[in-house]
């Protein structure tokens, strides 16, 4: 799994002019799932996301986690995080999991995050043409990959 985590002051997802999810302070998480991903990858990543200390403390240092600031999560599926661009100019997405594997893992990730932060995780619609609006705070953007544990 790959995740791009952006600290935001606000973020929302719109599909067909309807808002499917919106948060104030928190994380916009773009999540890519590949065929090799397992529940272990999911649990590792969910823990890392929810415990990531990138919110400012009283001294302006990044010492606080999502729970410390009562932050929310907007989770968006993004197969393009597994784009391979080595050959030519048209990316290949062959490493991205097909919907029959990706959808259940995406739903499990949503449930795992909800359990860890004890609140509803806002979301997009898997496979839909989504419009994402965000106000990146910082900007702070972190990329994580469960295969390299970075």
């Amino acid at each position: 799994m790959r995740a791009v985590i952006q600290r935001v002051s606000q973020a929302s997802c719109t599909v067909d002019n309807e808002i499917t999810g919106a948060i104030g302070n928190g994380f916009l998480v773009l999540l890519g799932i590949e065929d090799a991903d397992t529940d272990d990858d999911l649990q590792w990543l969910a823990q890392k996301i929810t415990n990531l200390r990138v919110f400012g403390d009283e001294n302006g240092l990044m010492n606080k986690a999502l729970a410390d600031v009562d932050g929310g999560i907007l989770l968006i599926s993004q197969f393009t995080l597994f784009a391979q661009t080595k050959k030519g100019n048209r990316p290949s997405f062959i490493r991205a999991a097909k919907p029959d594997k990706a959808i259940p893992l995406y739903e499990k990730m949503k449930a795992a995050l909800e359990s860890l932060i004890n609140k509803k995780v806002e979301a997009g619609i898997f496979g839909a043409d989504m419009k994402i609006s965000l106000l990146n705070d910082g900007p702070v953007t972190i990329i994580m990959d469960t295969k390299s544990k970075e």
Side-chain angles (χ1 to χ4, degrees), residues 8 21-22 40 43 49 53 73 76 94 115 119 123 130 133:
V8 298
D40 287 342
Q43 292 303 323
I49 290 169
R53 294 181 4 195
I73 295 176
I76 304 295
I94 197 156
S115 175
K119 64 166 61 173
M130 296 176 274
S133 175

Side-chain angles (χ1 to χ4, degrees), residues 17 20 27 40 49 55 66 85 88 105-106 111-112 128 135 137 143:
N17 295 317
T20 64
F27 289 145
D40 287 342
I49 290 169
F55 294 93
L66 205 56
T85 58
L105 281 175
Y106 173 78
L135 184 55
D137 181 18
I143 301 170

